[in-house]
Amino acid sequence: MAKDMLESPTPPEPDDPNRTKPNAEEQELIDRFGSWIAKRGLTVPAILFIESGKPLNWIFSQGMLVGEPAAWALDPMMKAAFNFTHADYLKLQRLLEKRWSVEFLLQSIEKHDDIQRNKEDEIKKEKKARKKELKAQRKGKRGKFFRKLFGNEKPEDTK
């Protein structure tokens, strides 16, 4: 028994050196994370944080292991607030152990930020067009009012 306690644990299997892309499950998690960041407008702080910690991604992943009991305890709250389960937490932790994963995470955040920015631009254009339309309607009503006031009514004013 004492001998088992003194032995070092077996090291994890090394990453496949030829594998430099996430699988479908990992890509889905990366996209969800990138989308969540972009929807909340946290793109710049997230990119700064991730870029500054890029050399420490393995240490961050091990820190996530230390914080796993808290994540497990807060699982219902994380699911409700972030749509992020304990299983997703563990997948993200395993993903961060791989050095190449950080680049895919950054690319996903940037991609979703572009999508979000395009959506916001479309909404702004629609609002601007609606505002212009309402302004034209008000101008028409105002003109009709003043023509009626000064007795210069046009045939379309009587409708």
Side-chain angles (χ1 to χ4, degrees):
M1 171 92 175
K3 183 180 177 188
D4 292 338
M5 289 175 54
L6 297 176
E7 288 182 14
S8 63
T10 58
E13 292 294 321
D15 288 340
D16 181 5
N18 298 325
R19 182 174 172 230
T20 56
K21 291 187 178 183
N23 61 30
E25 187 177 297
E26 292 170 339
Q27 187 62 47
E28 187 268 331
L29 181 65
I30 288 171
D31 285 339
R32 269 193 9 217
F33 185 75
S35 174
W36 189 88
I37 294 288
K39 282 181 184 175
R40 281 142 187 89
L42 297 173
T43 303
V44 174
I47 288 175
L48 282 172
F49 178 74
I50 292 169
E51 281 287 350
S52 65
K54 192 186 281 188
L56 305 171
N57 69 316
W58 189 81
I59 294 171
F60 286 150
S61 74
Q62 298 309 299
M64 287 178 73
L65 277 178
V66 172
E68 183 193 356
W72 180 76
L74 299 174
D75 185 42
M77 187 176 71
M78 286 188 341
K79 177 110 173 117
F82 309 114
N83 196 20
F84 194 71
T85 63
H86 184 256
D88 294 335
Y89 181 88
L90 292 176
K91 287 177 198 170
L92 185 63
Q93 182 274 323
R94 284 192 299 271
L95 187 63
L96 285 177
E97 287 180 347
K98 302 167 181 92
R99 182 145 324 259
W100 52 262
S101 66
V102 177
E103 274 306 313
F104 285 99
L105 192 59
L106 290 169
Q107 290 172 2
S108 174
I109 291 171
E110 290 170 358
K111 177 182 79 171
H112 286 285
D113 183 53
D114 287 342
I115 292 169
Q116 189 68 26
R117 201 173 307 140
N118 289 340
K119 285 180 184 177
E120 289 172 1
D121 288 346
E122 288 175 15
I123 291 170
K124 284 180 184 177
K125 285 178 185 177
E126 289 173 7
K127 283 183 178 180
K128 190 174 183 179
R130 179 70 179 143
K131 189 176 178 180
K132 192 173 184 179
E133 182 182 312
L134 289 173
K135 187 176 180 180
Q137 286 177 356
R138 286 193 303 267
K139 186 176 180 182
K141 287 181 181 180
R142 199 175 324 124
K144 181 179 173 182
F145 170 77
F146 283 112
R147 282 192 301 272
K148 193 173 186 180
L149 182 68
F150 295 116
N152 298 333
E153 289 185 68
K154 292 183 178 178
E156 63 265 10
D157 290 344
T158 57
K159 292 179 186 176

